[in-house]
Amino acid sequence: MAIASAAPLMAMNGALKMATNSQSYLEVQDNSIPKPQQLIVISPSGVQKERMVEEDMYVLSAPLATSYPHKPPKYSDCAPLFLKVQLNHHYRDATVKLNQFGLDWTTTTHGPIHNCNGTLSSTRNVKMSAKAGALASNGNIEPLRRCIVLDIEGTTTPISFVTDVLFPYARDNVGRHLDATYDSAETQEDIKLLRAQVQEDLENDVAGAVPIPSNDAGKEKVIAALVKNVEAMIKADRKITALKELQGHIWQTGFKNNELEGVVFDDVPEALERWAASGIKVYIYSSGSRLAQRLLFGYTNYGDLRKYLCGFFDTTVGNKKETKSYHEITASLGVDHPSEILFVTDVYQEAIAAKPAGLEVIISVRPGNGPLPDNHGFRTVESFSEI
């Protein structure tokens, strides 16, 4: 028999509840708990700890009275491993919290973090976001911020890169891409989505929409009609799934052939790394497909930044200018309250949609972005170093 160091019992509200982590075991040995009140769990030798069920565990009070010829129980052979895990957990937790408050955990004095040139780090600004809350200059704790959701165009990436590089590349390569991949399941699915969208556009008299012939008309005629519709959609900068899916597949070829390279503002990589180190999860929400988002951040002028990102949302979750879309994102992220999510966008209408859903909203002001209404009521930033 071995004392199960991974499964102590704790008394809570008069009921005994099972704790299944090594931290609880080590802390229950604290001398502040009188020994007569301590409880231990004993498990049979040879039972894998990760497969134990209630029937495998025996509750006993401590200390255990033993007399010859009975042997006293021994600690689990895994105890050193559990102890090491706990110590590492406390060490990591302490270093993260020091870092969140702008203190250097690498020194014995834990003074303010400095840059290489000796100046105070600008990454620890007056307001510091942290998983445990943010400490403002007035000493108040700001609302908990566990997740940051970022727009791309005009927020992480210049609008000009999208309009002058990505869109023209997709437009100029629609025909070539469809011709080369026409029989693939992926392209056939893209064509199916485009047919449905074009049919809806024709019914609503959308400018630029032209009928797409059936497959019986031949590959060339189908592609020609698709190209005309896609060009009109790109020209109108339509935020529709059918277009975005096809664009993503076209851009995939460009990025992998080194014909395209993603562009982000200079402050973006440092901010992503800093937020990740603080325990904040970062997501992307863009009208571009999730594939396109992964490509942009996977092939940037600063290398692959996807290691700092926890997920991607596109228009399949909803239109960015509709409040219900942000309710969907909140439900997906699993936060206790939507105010724990910060949404950063350059589009005023998107900010207006996110606010009623309870999200914290900041508007990004970047070179080339459109003007904002007077007295819009939102906090603005020109760089992620301000967040």
Side-chain angles (χ1 to χ4, degrees), residues 149 151 155 285 319-323 326 341-364 372-373 376-380:
V149 178
D151 174 43
T155 301
Y285 181 28
N319 190 295
K320 295 183 70 180
K321 296 179 181 180
E322 296 179 358
T323 299
Y326 300 92
I341 304 172
L342 168 63
F343 176 53
V344 186
T345 179
D346 68 307
V347 180
Y348 173 69
Q349 292 85 350
E350 294 176 6
I352 288 294
K355 189 173 182 179
L359 280 67
E360 178 189 1
V361 181
I362 291 178
I363 293 183
S364 171
L372 295 171
H376 53 75
F378 291 97
R379 176 188 168 191
T380 62

Side-chain angles (χ1 to χ4, degrees), residues 22-148:
S22 59
Q23 179 177 347
S24 299
Y25 171 77
L26 293 169
E27 290 180 350
V28 83
Q29 305 306 310
D30 194 319
N31 289 331
S32 63
I33 302 175
K35 284 190 176 182
Q37 298 179 20
Q38 292 181 6
L39 296 172
I40 62 173
V41 173
I42 290 185
S43 68
S45 298
V47 176
Q48 290 180 271
K49 301 298 183 290
E50 66 272 19
R51 293 186 177 181
M52 286 196 303
V53 295
E54 292 182 9
E55 289 76 11
D56 296 325
M57 304 176 191
Y58 304 89
V59 183
L60 296 172
S61 59
L64 292 175
T66 59
S67 60
Y68 183 83
H70 303 291
K71 295 181 180 180
K74 68 181 182 68
Y75 283 104
S76 167
D77 292 335
C78 299
L81 176 61
F82 293 138
L83 177 61
K84 184 174 182 179
V85 169
Q86 166 146 358
L87 292 175
N88 286 339
H89 169 78
H90 284 308
Y91 174 76
R92 183 186 179 279
D93 187 58
T95 57
V96 168
K97 290 187 182 301
L98 284 170
N99 190 268
Q100 289 170 351
F101 285 99
L103 301 177
D104 189 354
W105 61 270
T106 64
T107 66
T108 56
T109 58
H110 304 313
I113 295 177
H114 290 74
N115 289 320
C116 296
N117 59 10
T119 61
L120 285 173
S121 172
S122 61
T123 64
R124 303 302 162 199
N125 218 323
V126 175
K127 295 184 178 180
M128 296 176 288
S129 297
K131 188 165 65 174
L135 183 64
S137 58
N138 59 9
N140 294 330
I141 300 296
E142 294 186 339
L144 183 72
R145 183 180 293 163
R146 294 176 56 191
C147 304
I148 296 178

